[in-house]
Structure formats: structure tokens, C-alpha cells
Amino acid sequence: MLSVVVAPWGDEPVFERNGDVPHDAASTMKIAVLAALRRTGADPREPVPVVNAFTSRAGGEFANDPEWDSDPVPWTLLGATVPLGLLTERMITHSSNLATNLCLARAGHPAVDEVWRRAGATRSASPRGIEDHPARDAGVHNRVTARDLVRLVQSLDDETELLELLERNAFRVDLAAGLPPGTRVAFKNGWFPGVRHCVGLVHPDDCPPYLLAVCYTGPLASGADEAAGDPAARLLARVSAAVWERRHAISGAPALAGPPVPAR
């Protein structure tokens, strides 16, 4: 299943394909955790013990597996106390699962729920932590739609420091790979076997900025960090390149002429 939504920054979508179909959220839900921290007034200087034990939404505890984490740095800090801002940065720039759960524990699930509500999300939520398998097995799922991911990033319009952090994403694959080198893009991607998603705010030099969200669930997604090992990452890059070619038609257009979705 491929879902695509394109929207001018600050306006309604001009193109959608399966925009309201739910997908497993993967790491895109980390944007909601980021916004929740900021809106609850969390101090980036606040000391946080780095532990690997978290309360499951199903009761009991769960832990992260370093083999499933794309960022080794927080794991070297286990047992230490570090500033919350360091964990927030690694959650976004290197998609650390361990840092995400530490940030989520600080922000709290109600604050994350409020982020989605304020964004106007209709089918997306992140009620559990990353790798909370007991909750997942009990039917508690993190879900997103492409349309809600666009709404989520739109809701950051007056929080420029959060968008600037998204611009520092170290994984320049997926949507970023479909853009000309040096193009400004604030984005978050997420993947595991069977799933590959990305949402980004693209800033062309020659026209107004636009939002693009692409969610893919299916056999093309290998779960590899790099595009060379994941056909789904290359698919997302081709979608991004196709939208880029039509970027001048996005702002103020009633609809894009034809689907900006290339053949696989």
C-alpha cells in the first residue's frame, strides 16, 4: 500500500492517494514526541538518567533492543545522566529508539495525544512506546496516515526550532534523496521490515515551500537504513523527485494534473 499527500505549506492538500489509510507509524511518531516535549515546557538542560526499562501500556515493563536501534550513541550512555536536549536531538537526527522512549517517559502519553489532537489528526495516534511489544500484542498500536503526517508538520508552523531540528536529520534518504543536492528539507523518516515512511517540508529556492508525506507498507521495504538496501527507500525518493518536478504547480493550485507517483 502506497499513500501520498502533497500540500502547499499552510494550506490544504492539492494531491492525495490513499491519504487516510492507516499504516504502522514506525519512527514518524517521534515528531509528536518532540512537539509534546516543547509544549509541556520541558527544559533541554534537565538531567535524565539513561536507563533501558520502561512502563508498558499493557502493564509491567519492556526494554529496547540495541540491535533494532539505528543510533548507537545513547547506548554508550547507559547508567549515566545526560541533558534532555541531547536525547531529544538523537531522537530526531539519528532516530534513536532508546532516546525516544526516554523522551516519551518525560513528556507523557497525554501530552503526545494532545499533539495529535491539536494537529487535527483523524486516524493517527501513538499510544505506546517504541518496541512496547506487550502493548502491541494487546492491540495497542501506533498508527499514522499520510494526511495526518502532513497535518502534524503543519501544526509546527510557529515552532521554528522544531522544524530546524528536523532539518538536521542525518538519514538523507527517502524524500531527501529525491531532491537536488543542497535543498532545504525538514523531515522525519521511519522504517522496519515491511514499512517505509517519510514526511517533509521542502523549501525550493524558486517557489513557495510544500509538504510531502509518503507512507509505504509492503514487501519492497527491507528495513535497511540505507537506500541501497531498501527498494522502498528508492520508491520514496522517486515519488519525491516526481513531486519536485511539479513544484511550481503546488502552491495555489486546485489540484495537481495527474498523480505524481512513478511506476515502481
Side-chain angles (χ1 to χ4, degrees):
M1 172 63 68
L2 179 67
S3 299
V4 182
V5 171
V6 182
W9 179 237
D11 209 339
E12 293 299 310
V14 296
F15 176 83
E16 72 91 17
R17 169 177 169 162
N18 301 320
D20 293 317
V21 173
H23 298 257
D24 192 296
S27 290
T28 57
M29 55 85 70
K30 295 171 183 177
I31 302 174
V33 178
L34 174 67
L37 284 172
R38 195 249 186 201
R39 294 172 191 173
T40 55
D43 187 341
R45 298 166 297 180
E46 178 182 326
V48 177
V50 180
V51 298
N52 185 24
F54 306 99
T55 301
S56 170
R57 295 308 298 272
E61 289 190 341
F62 73 98
N64 288 122
D65 182 346
E67 295 299 317
W68 284 95
D69 203 332
S70 58
D71 185 11
V73 170
W75 293 93
T76 68
L77 303 171
L78 276 174
T81 298
V82 302
L84 176 62
L86 184 154
L87 298 171
T88 304
E89 176 120 5
R90 301 305 296 195
M91 172 177 71
I92 297 300
T93 62
H94 290 75
S95 209
S96 166
N97 291 340
L98 180 61
T100 298
N101 283 336
L102 291 165
C103 290
L104 179 58
R106 171 60 182 82
H109 287 282
V112 176
D113 293 343
E114 174 61 16
V115 169
W116 286 112
R117 188 204 64 78
R118 173 174 160 179
T122 60
R123 300 189 180 186
S124 300
S126 37
R128 64 170 174 83
I130 303 285
E131 297 179 66
D132 184 353
H133 299 316
R136 181 199 61 190
D137 294 344
V140 181
H141 299 292
N142 293 333
R143 301 286 195 215
V144 295
T145 70
R147 191 184 303 275
D148 285 344
L149 285 174
V150 163
R151 289 169 172 149
L152 178 60
V153 178
Q154 288 272 33
S155 74
L156 307 180
D157 61 348
D158 60 348
E159 296 169 298
T160 55
E161 70 274 24
L162 304 189
L163 294 170
E164 289 169 357
L165 180 54
L166 290 168
E167 288 187 31
R168 300 202 293 273
N169 186 343
F171 293 99
R172 313 303 288 187
V173 292
D174 304 316
L175 303 190
L179 302 172
T183 302
R184 274 185 66 199
V185 55
F187 72 109
K188 185 72 192 78
N189 34 14
W191 58 85
F192 58 79
V195 164
R196 192 98 196 184
H197 309 324
C198 194
V199 59
L201 171 60
V202 182
H203 293 270
D205 289 334
D206 56 356
C207 66
Y210 65 87
L211 280 159
L212 171 61
V214 185
C215 298
Y216 173 80
T217 300
L220 292 178
S222 71
D225 288 356
E226 301 300 329
D230 195 328
R234 298 195 293 274
L235 172 63
L236 267 61
R238 292 199 299 274
V239 172
S240 181
V243 174
W244 173 265
E245 289 300 314
R246 303 182 187 204
R247 65 194 180 280
H248 296 288
I250 294 172
S251 181
L256 291 180
V261 180
R264 294 179 187 175

